[in-house]
Amino acid sequence: MTKKILILGVGGFIGGTLVGSILEQKPDWEIYGMDLSHDKVQEFIGHERFHFTQGNIIEQEDWIKEHIEKCDVIFPLVAIANPAVYVSNPLLIFELGFEENLKIIRWCVEHKKHVVFPSTSEVYGMNDDDEFCEETSNFVTGPVNKTRWIYATSKQLLGRIIYAYGEQGLNYTLFRPFNWIGEKLDNIIDKPGGSRVLTQFISNVIHGKDIQLVGGGLQKRCFTDSSEGVDALVRIIDRADSEANRRVFNIGNPENNYSIKELAEMTLEEIKKFPAYAEKANKCKIVDIDSAEYYGSGYQDVKSRVPAIRNAKELLGWEPKITLRESVQKILAYHLKD
Ligand code: UGA
């Protein structure tokens, strides 16, 4: 069935990966997208079903309203998803991630369009359940001086607002990515806290720096290959009028539950297989660093974060299979190819 999909923030990690999957799998779907930069969608520009507009969503209200009216499913993906920025610039996280997205959600309400909104695994915060369930798990965050939680609480409130609009008739789906990793995750830059953990580790090795384990690296994450993550989103769009409507989905791989220390060791082991980088990897040490020194005093960490994925399995027919090692190998091949 023909569908028109609007992706705001199409040039980001999830947007850029989603465009590739849709163009490959769905010959009848057309994508409209806006972002400041087109680096991560450069390969699709010129494709007859991908319409990219360069622009800032803050300044392009008319364009956005016009495209919400024209499209069937709306993805407001604009946000900064990097814990170092939650701590260093919490107001930016609120202004962009909350205020701008609230406007877009309200336009979806006005035009009666299905909004697919990225919640986050961060909403569960420091909850110590063995696994997090969309319907029953509590959200546990710290005091206001722990600014790390401004991202989670902004996303949490937007989720609650969308749910409340849903009770008045809005069609929506909330999805919660659990540490998606992929080729387009972050750019490799030489700055501590400049990117999320896997890209940060690769960047440290490439730039001859040690790998730093925040708080000893015993905290665990369930890493999820982004190709499988966006496959869940394609399934959500397919079922927007049925099983996926007014639902919340954790999208993560509970089998890939590794400590950050294990991730560091695996990444180094795999980099050693690239002859051009083996020497740097051999020289790289894995060292511990205090979280306040790395991020600042506004940081708190999450010890364990395992998704229950019964909803995604039963309602979307989705089940992730790619192991962490396979993802790491694929991502290294992409970054270390020359
Ligand atoms: C991330 C971000 O908030 C979002 O990208 C997203 O919403 C969510 O998780 C997700 O992807 O599900 P987090 O998992 O804490 O949060 O982000 P990372 O920056 O990837 O850090 C993972 C862990 O590695 C943290 O415990 C962090 O302290 C640690 N870390 C990070 C290090 O030990 N060393 C580093 O150099 C960088």
Side-chain angles (χ1 to χ4, degrees), residues 183 274 276-277 331-338:
E183 292 88 332
F274 289 79
Y277 293 91
I331 294 163
L332 289 176
Y334 175 82
H335 287 298
L336 307 182
K337 55 184 175 278
D338 299 318

Side-chain angles (χ1 to χ4, degrees), residues 102 105-106 108-110 112-115 117 157-174 244-248:
L102 180 57
I105 290 160
R106 288 194 162 133
C108 292
V109 173
E110 189 183 323
K112 298 186 169 34
K113 293 303 165 83
H114 191 112
V115 61
F117 189 74
L157 185 52
L158 284 170
R160 292 187 188 279
I161 291 168
I162 291 171
Y163 181 90
Y165 277 126
E167 293 200 313
Q168 296 181 356
L170 175 69
N171 293 326
Y172 72 87
T173 311
L174 297 183
N245 194 17
R246 300 196 186 120
R247 299 297 310 217
V248 185

Side-chain angles (χ1 to χ4, degrees), residues 86 120-122 179 197 212 214 219 221 294 299 301 305:
Y86 313 161
T120 170
S121 64
E122 289 252 326
N179 289 84
V197 65
Q212 296 177 305
V214 173
Q219 63 278 33
R221 297 293 188 272
Y294 190 87
Y299 187 75
D301 214 325
R305 180 195 265 173

Side-chain angles (χ1 to χ4, degrees), residues 17 38 62 136 146 164 172 195 205 235 246 254 259:
T17 314
H38 49 67
D62 292 342
T136 58
K146 298 297 176 190
Y172 72 87
S195 50
V205 178
R235 287 163 187 263
R246 300 196 186 120
S259 73

Side-chain angles (χ1 to χ4, degrees), residues 212-216 287-297 299 301:
Q212 296 177 305
L213 297 180
V214 173
V287 299
D288 289 352
I289 183 163
D290 183 67
S291 67
E293 190 185 332
Y294 190 87
Y295 288 108
S297 62
Y299 187 75
D301 214 325

Side-chain angles (χ1 to χ4, degrees), residues 81-95:
N82 179 345
V85 187
Y86 313 161
V87 177
S88 65
N89 199 347
L91 284 178
L92 177 65
I93 300 298
F94 172 75
E95 287 159 6

Side-chain angles (χ1 to χ4, degrees), residues 204-205 209-211 268 279-286:
N204 288 13
V205 178
K209 308 262 169 73
D210 289 340
I211 284 181
L268 266 187
E279 196 187 329
K280 286 188 165 176
N282 282 323
K283 279 191 185 149
C284 178
K285 291 197 280 298
I286 298 178

